[in-house]
Amino acid sequence: HIGINSKVLLAAMMPATWATASTSPFLIPPVLIRSRVSFFIYNHCILQQVVIMNKNIDITGIELHTKRLMLRPWSMNDLDDFFAYASIDGVGQMAGWFPHQNIEESKKILKMFIDGKKTFAIVLDGRAVGSIGIEEYDEKEFPEFAQEKVREIGFVLAKEYWGRGLMPEAAEEVIRWLFEEVQLDRILCGHFLNNQQSKRVQMKCGFVPYRVISYQTRMGTAEQTMMSFLTKEQWQDRCMTQKDKSSV
């Protein structure tokens, strides 16, 4: 129970960006205060703690390895590699953006990758050949996931490496890290309905089709997009099944 100095105590408990709906230390109405972690407060009592939606991500210092690949944060040393694949026609359009027109455009976007601390470079034989971004999902589009720790992943691979199984290999390792280390409950991933390559990658990683939404691209188009998800429980079951098969 929060006593007579409830206003002061609540202020001490909350980050500066939080606020109650009342200026009275005695009359705090029922209120839902929302942030990454929310508290239901009713009659001066904290009743329930609920984890909210998009989980914070910071890949600083993280290095993941697969049989053929390394996944690590981007650096400005990767600029030439990034421009080399992002400027090729047919690569960016699959994810909703135009090919980069010059290296300065790639430099601006690469800086966003670095500053955002949520996008892995996919490195093969010392060369950055693609990316996997751990993006915030659309909370308004999917309010049903409000009490889970969720993120959305998106990926791009250099055209010359398509069809070699590199993208599922990279995505599965990032998925493992997100469930085991970051402790997500659910991961979303989408593909345009005409993007069969991305669809196959997601199926190989165990994603389950959920529903079609309209996605506004950077090209000024609205693309019908199949959103799929993978829960931690589904991923664990899949890992166990794969382990049982390999032991036979």
Side-chain angles (χ1 to χ4, degrees):
H1 183 74
I2 300 175
I4 190 168
N5 292 318
S6 56
K7 180 181 178 183
V8 176
L9 183 54
L10 278 170
M13 292 170 58
M14 299 175 190
T17 54
W18 290 12
T20 65
S22 171
T23 57
S24 167
F26 307 107
L27 300 175
I28 302 178
V31 56
L32 171 63
I33 298 172
R34 176 174 167 181
S35 180
R36 295 300 174 195
V37 177
S38 294
F39 296 88
F40 290 94
I41 300 178
Y42 184 77
N43 288 343
H44 314 293
C45 295
I46 296 176
L47 302 179
Q48 184 178 2
Q49 183 178 13
V50 180
V51 178
I52 295 293
M53 303 180 179
N54 277 296
K55 170 84 171 177
N56 287 330
I57 297 292
D58 185 344
I59 66 168
T60 302
I62 301 297
E63 210 175 83
L64 307 176
H65 295 267
T66 70
K67 185 177 181 180
R68 296 177 290 178
L69 303 170
M70 176 170 67
L71 297 116
R72 57 158 174 78
W74 287 86
S75 79
M76 276 299 169
N77 294 330
D78 300 314
L79 179 58
D80 289 339
D81 291 342
F82 182 39
F83 177 66
Y85 78 76
S87 59
I88 300 299
D89 187 49
V91 174
Q93 292 98 319
M94 305 294 277
W97 45 270
F98 287 118
H100 294 186
Q101 297 302 302
N102 52 64
I103 201 164
E104 285 303 312
E105 182 180 359
S106 293
K107 187 175 182 179
K108 290 178 182 178
I109 296 172
L110 183 55
K111 187 177 186 304
M112 291 171 57
F113 285 175
I114 295 169
D115 293 344
K117 301 178 182 180
K118 58 181 177 59
T119 303
F120 283 105
I122 302 171
V123 180
L124 175 67
D125 297 329
R127 177 186 173 193
V129 298
S131 68
I132 299 184
I134 307 165
E135 310 298 338
E136 292 191 354
Y137 79 101
D138 189 338
E139 297 175 351
K140 292 182 179 179
E141 185 72 49
F142 300 100
E144 60 267 41
F145 304 143
Q147 296 186 26
E148 299 180 26
K149 291 172 284 187
V150 184
R151 276 281 180 156
E152 179 178 339
I153 64 170
F155 43 78
V156 174
L157 186 66
K159 201 170 188 177
E160 63 192 279
Y161 294 102
W162 292 1
R164 294 174 52 177
L166 295 175
M167 201 66 253
E169 183 176 326
E172 286 183 342
E173 177 58 16
V174 171
I175 289 167
R176 181 205 63 77
W177 180 73
L178 287 172
F179 282 137
E180 286 191 347
E181 306 299 328
V182 183
Q183 293 293 305
L184 291 188
D185 299 314
R186 184 185 304 264
I187 301 171
L188 296 177
C189 195
H191 67 83
F192 300 159
L193 295 186
N194 62 352
N195 188 342
Q196 294 302 305
Q197 295 100 316
S198 184
K199 177 182 178 180
R200 285 193 292 270
V201 170
Q202 293 176 44
M203 289 179 64
K204 289 178 180 178
C205 293
F207 282 91
V208 178
Y210 188 51
R211 77 164 179 256
V212 174
I213 66 169
S214 180
Y215 175 76
Q216 299 296 320
T217 74
R218 295 188 180 95
M219 301 185 296
T221 62
E223 298 289 340
Q224 291 297 101
T225 300
M226 173 59 75
M227 296 300 300
S228 301
F229 68 75
L230 180 65
T231 67
K232 187 173 185 178
E233 291 75 18
Q234 289 168 334
W235 173 77
Q236 289 171 331
D237 290 344
R238 189 167 178 271
C239 289
M240 288 298 298
T241 299
Q242 291 176 336
K243 184 178 180 180
D244 291 342
K245 288 181 179 179
S246 64
S247 64
V248 173

